[in-house]
Amino acid sequence: MSSIAKITICNPVEIEGDWEYCWFDSSHNHFLLLNDSYFYTLPLDGSTIVPALFAHIQHLPQNLLCARMSIDKRFVAIQTSLSSLLVVDVSNKKKWVVEIRHPGENAILSGGIAWSDHGGNSEDLIIVTNKGMELYKISQIRNQCKLSRAISQPISSFWYNPCLLYTSD
């Protein structure tokens, strides 16, 4: 008989230290930590016990809900409310505010922020809401964050795997 060990990590996560926020980012298999506008990463593999400085982003709002680093680590998406998030270009500190469609009757699901490699010099930000999914193309060269596709499908829960994204209604 074989047994399978299962680890469940829920947001928020507690890690020893004086952190204002801590999120687990399964795309990079690390914790994303925030303290006094400084973002740090801490890998889950145990290769280090000292968080590494990732970015310094000033003027962040209070009560952040979630944060995810892009695949190429050039951007960070920070959920600021049930209907909006802030996308920050880490290198030049350019910020875009993304407001989901139909914010009065729509909300970002818990952990509903993911990134996908678009190819070339841009990445896709995937936002999972209770009304479907919204895909935004983020381009550092064009200096833009633009809605590229919206998929309308009622969603009550979803499961995220860095290689696959599953939804259910």
Side-chain angles (χ1 to χ4, degrees):
M1 173 191 276
S2 66
S3 64
I4 298 174
K6 181 179 180 184
I7 298 174
T8 303
I9 300 175
C10 301
N11 289 334
V13 176
E14 287 189 42
I15 291 183
E16 197 171 309
D18 188 23
W19 304 105
E20 294 173 58
Y21 296 95
C22 175
W23 302 279
F24 179 68
D25 188 338
S26 58
S27 294
H28 296 283
N29 200 33
H30 68 204
F31 291 98
L32 191 56
L33 311 167
L34 176 63
N35 190 34
D36 195 28
S37 73
Y38 288 91
F39 280 88
Y40 296 82
T41 60
L42 181 64
L44 187 62
D45 65 7
S47 60
T48 180
I49 58 170
V50 179
L53 180 62
F54 167 63
H56 181 222
I57 302 171
Q58 296 180 325
H59 310 297
L60 291 173
Q62 297 294 315
N63 303 318
L64 305 178
L65 301 175
C66 185
R68 296 285 185 264
M69 186 185 304
S70 66
I71 303 296
D72 63 6
K73 301 180 182 178
R74 290 186 298 178
F75 305 103
V76 63
I78 306 164
Q79 186 179 352
T80 57
S81 73
L82 291 176
S83 62
S84 65
L85 50 93
L86 188 64
V87 177
V88 181
D89 182 327
V90 175
S91 64
N92 64 19
K93 308 300 187 242
K94 169 74 176 162
K95 296 178 184 176
W96 297 276
V97 174
V98 175
E99 186 78 28
I100 62 171
R101 296 168 25 142
H102 315 292
E105 55 196 50
N106 197 7
I108 300 169
L109 295 181
S110 178
I113 300 171
W115 290 91
S116 175
D117 184 12
H118 185 84
N121 294 311
S122 62
E123 292 209 31
D124 286 327
L125 173 65
I126 303 165
I127 304 173
V128 183
T129 71
N130 60 346
K131 291 201 171 274
M133 291 179 20
E134 297 180 16
L135 285 74
Y136 290 81
K137 182 178 178 182
I138 317 294
S139 174
Q140 196 172 40
I141 290 178
R142 291 186 177 169
N143 196 26
Q144 72 179 10
C145 173
K146 184 177 177 182
L147 178 66
S148 61
R149 185 166 186 198
I151 301 169
S152 295
Q153 172 67 42
I155 298 174
S156 59
S157 61
F158 73 100
W159 298 268
Y160 174 72
N161 175 320
C163 298
L164 303 169
L165 181 68
Y166 298 101
T167 62
S168 70
D169 54 356

